Every structure is written in C-alpha cells, then in structure tokens.
Amino acid sequence: MGALDHLSNIFDCSTGSSKLKKRKQLQTVEVRVKMDCEGCERKVRRAVEGMKGVTSVDIEPKQHKLTVVGYVDPEKVVARVAHRTGKKAELWPYVPYDVVAHPYAPGVYDRKAPAGYVRNVEDPQYSQLARASSTEVRYTTAFSDENPTACTIM
C-alpha cells in the first residue's frame, strides 16, 4: 500500500481544484432597500427568491427591510438585490436602541431609522463624543443615590 499511495500522490491531477466545497452556514441576512409600493416589494422578493440556498424571504415595507434566511453570502444578497432591482441596497445598519450605550450621541441617532432603532456605530470617534465630561459626572454623582455623601434635597 505504501508504494501505491506514493504513486497516486505523484500522479494526482486533482490538486488544482477540489470537488468538495465548504458548505455555507445557515444565516439570517438583513438588508435595507427602499420600497415604495407593492410592485417594488414584489420585484425585491423575486430577485432574492431565485438565489441558490435561500430558505425564506420576509419583507417589511414600512421599515424598508428585507430579511433572507438561508445558506447565502450577505454580500451576494446585497449585490443581487442592487443589480436585479436597480435600487440602492445595504446591509441593515440599525440596532435596537437598548443595545447602544448612548443612543442619542451625534452620529448614532438617525432620524431615518425605524422607531426603536439607532445606527450601529463601532467607530471610536463617536464613542468619545458620547462619553460624559468630568463636570457632568461630578454634578450627576452629587445627587446620586449610590453616593453616600450626596446632597439630598427634598
């Protein structure tokens, strides 16, 4: 067996491409696409339903949100929607405002966001803007219940 294995490794032609592909994981992809009417909604749904690996498609037209569940690549879903419909498509940029430490900081709060959502920002520049200054901290802790030497005015 050793000699046959050695010869098969020497004359192996399949090293260029393997027939075994990595299987994509089941994931949920949320995309923001502007949809004005039922025709736009139908156009977006048809563009995504034809993709290989798509399990289910859910559309929320009031939030301009498309949710695709399946064995798909998020970038391919966005590219397909943009190409087939001619509309601007992007990955869902919003998170619930409960998740963000300072939801009303500049750059995080977005008036166009659906109710209860703010923009998901990981930029350290915006976290610096959201941080309270030392004078604010002094005034807030002066009347705090956790501070035993706090001023109590009733």
Side-chain angles (χ1 to χ4, degrees):
M1 285 292 265
L4 289 176
D5 288 336
H6 180 67
L7 287 175
S8 67
N9 287 339
I10 291 173
F11 297 111
D12 188 16
C13 297
S14 67
T15 57
S17 64
S18 176
K19 290 185 180 181
L20 298 175
K21 291 184 179 179
K22 273 190 167 181
R23 185 173 176 169
K24 296 177 184 170
Q25 292 184 351
L26 181 71
Q27 57 184 335
T28 302
V29 179
E30 295 176 331
V31 181
R32 182 173 184 261
V33 183
K34 187 171 181 183
M35 294 174 274
D36 299 324
C37 60
E38 291 179 11
C40 297
E41 182 180 342
R42 187 172 38 252
K43 196 176 196 182
V44 169
R45 181 181 300 277
R46 286 185 180 164
V48 178
E49 280 180 341
M51 286 184 71
K52 184 177 179 183
V54 172
T55 307
S56 69
V57 177
D58 184 37
I59 295 179
E60 298 174 31
K62 287 187 179 180
Q63 293 185 347
H64 303 292
K65 184 177 182 180
L66 164 70
T67 306
V68 179
V69 178
Y71 300 97
V72 292
D73 185 27
E75 286 80 25
K76 287 185 179 179
V77 172
V78 172
R80 173 108 174 206
V81 169
H83 177 71
R84 289 275 178 107
T85 62
K87 296 182 174 291
K88 182 184 172 194
E90 63 179 342
L91 289 175
W92 187 250
Y94 304 117
V95 294
Y97 72 94
D98 300 358
V99 177
V100 180
H102 300 282
Y104 297 107
V108 177
Y109 180 73
D110 188 3
R111 289 191 330 220
K112 296 179 183 177
Y117 288 94
V118 293
R119 198 164 271 285
N120 185 14
V121 178
E122 297 294 329
D123 194 6
Q125 177 186 0
Y126 293 118
S127 63
Q128 290 289 337
L129 293 173
R131 199 172 286 151
S133 68
S134 61
T135 55
E136 288 180 46
V137 171
R138 272 189 279 151
Y139 287 126
T140 5
T141 56
F143 297 100
S144 173
D145 290 336
E146 287 99 26
N147 187 358
T149 60
C151 178
T152 54
I153 300 174
M154 286 284 190

